Amino acid sequence: MGDNLLVYVPGLDGDPSPAARLAADLGESWRAEVSPVRVRPWSNRSAAALARELSAWIAGVWAEMGGLGRIILVGHSVGGLLLRHAYLIAQGDDDSREMKAWAQRVSRMVLLAAPNRGVEARRLSFTGRTMAELRRGAPYLTDLRLRWLDHFDRAGDRIQVVQLLGTLDTVVTRDDSLDVEQFGNARHVTVPGAEHHTLPRSHRLLWAAVAGPVRPTTPLLTVEPRTVVFLSRSRDRTWQALRQALAGRADVRTVPARAFLDEYGQVYARHRHGAIHFAGHGDGARVLGQAVAAVPAIMFGNVYLAGSRLPPGFPWSRAIEREQIGRVRDDGNLAVDQVPEVASYLLEVQADAADRLRLDGRAART
C-alpha cells in the first residue's frame, strides 16, 4: 500500500470508475479512494455538512495511511464543489479555525467541469436541499466563492488547481470559473468532444491533469480594483439623481433581487481589491439584510438606506463587528438636496476600512 493518496469525489452519477483507472496508472506508491460522501440527486442534507464530513473522512484515511505522503484531490461536477469546501475547512476556514494536517499535504486539485459559479436554476431537475444550495446565486454557493477567493488572497496558497472542461459541455462554461482560474498555479484544459457527464472518461487528459506538469494558463481576468455601488432599482427621480451623481465616479450596478448574490460574486471576483458599497430603499434594503444574514463572507464598505423595510431591530452592530459592513446610514427618505452629500458618503473610504477592503486584517467569520 502506497504512502500517497488520491481522493475521487464523483458527480451526481456516482461513477467511481475514473479512480480505478487512475490508481492503476499511478502505481504502487499511491492509494486511490472513492469518497463515500457525495451529492446525491434528492439529498436533503446541507452542503456544508457534507463538506465537513468529506473533510473528516479524508483526514481519517490519510491518518490511517501514516500521514506522510502527498494528496491529490479530484472531483467531478458538483463533487468538485464539495472538495473545494472540504479543502477550505481543512485550511481552518470554519468555526473551529483549526488547520488540519492533511491540508498541508495537498499538492493538486483537479476539477472536472465543476460548476464553480453554481448550477443554473433552469438546469435543476432535482428538488433536494443539497442541490438547491448549489444553485447559482444561492447563499451557500456565494459564501463558498467568497471564502475561496479570500483564502487564496490571504494565504498565497500554492496548491495547483486544474479545471477540465469539455467542448460539448452545456452545463458549465469557462466563464463560470473566474474564482479558480485567476491565481498563479491554475490551469484550464479544454477536452475536445467531451460532454459534462462524459468528461471523466477522457482518461488521457485526466491522467495528464493528475500526474503531468502544470503550466498555468493566462487567466480569464486580472483583478481590477474598482469602486462598485449596488443601487436599488427605482423609477423615483431622487434615486435616479443619485445614480447620476455616482456615474463616472463608481461602477453602479442595479440588479433584480433574484440575481443579487450571483452578481455580487462576479463583482467580488473581478474588483474585490477596490470598494463595494450599497444604497437601497424599501425592498432593496430587505435584499441587503437577507444577504448579510445568509452569507457570512459578504462585505460592503458603506451602506445607505432610506425608507428601509427591514425590521427595526436588525442587528447592524453584529454585521459591523463581523466586518460585513463598514458603516450604515439609515434615513427615513432621500431628498433631492441630500443627493450630493449621500453620493460623497457612499464613495468615501474610511481609514479603518481600507485594510478590510483589501483583505489585510479581516476578522474571523463564524
Side-chain angles (χ1 to χ4, degrees), residues 130-178:
T130 311
M131 287 302 297
E133 290 183 343
L134 300 179
R135 171 183 50 82
R136 180 173 294 183
Y140 168 83
L141 193 283
T142 303
D143 197 60
L144 173 59
R145 296 185 64 187
L146 305 184
R147 288 175 183 273
W148 180 272
L149 292 164
D150 286 356
H151 168 74
F152 280 84
D153 272 337
R154 286 196 310 264
D157 197 323
R158 303 303 294 171
I159 180 179
Q160 298 169 334
V161 181
V162 184
Q163 165 90 332
L164 276 69
L165 187 62
T167 56
L168 301 182
D169 196 315
T170 59
V171 178
V172 179
T173 69
R174 189 177 179 188
D175 286 343
D176 295 338
S177 295
L178 297 179

Side-chain angles (χ1 to χ4, degrees), residues 82-99:
L82 279 193
L83 265 182
R84 288 176 60 198
H85 192 185
Y87 177 73
L88 290 182
I89 290 170
Q91 287 285 352
D93 195 274
D94 68 344
D95 291 349
S96 74
R97 316 305 296 178
E98 178 186 352
M99 186 174 292

Side-chain angles (χ1 to χ4, degrees), residues 4 6 30 83 94 115 172 181 256 276 323 328 336 338 340 345:
N4 303 308
L6 180 137
W30 285 84
L83 265 182
D94 68 344
V172 179
E181 269 199 52
I276 304 176
E323 298 192 351
V328 181
V336 173
Q338 290 179 292
Y345 163 85

Side-chain angles (χ1 to χ4, degrees), residues 3 24 52 105 110-111 113 128 139 148 154 164 201 205 217 219 221 224 244 249 261 268 273-275 301:
D3 293 329
R52 287 192 292 269
R105 305 301 299 175
V110 178
L111 303 172
W148 180 272
R154 286 196 310 264
L164 276 69
R201 302 175 199 163
L205 289 177
T217 47
L221 80 158
E224 175 191 355
Q244 292 172 2
R249 303 165 67 189
L261 288 181
Y268 198 78
H273 297 312

Side-chain angles (χ1 to χ4, degrees), residues 193-228:
E195 301 176 22
H196 188 77
H197 67 285
T198 65
L199 181 62
R201 302 175 199 163
S202 304
H203 181 71
R204 183 179 62 83
L205 289 177
L206 174 53
W207 167 250
V210 167
V214 172
R215 300 181 181 88
T217 47
T218 302
L220 288 174
L221 80 158
T222 300
V223 178
E224 175 191 355
R226 181 184 297 182
T227 298
V228 178

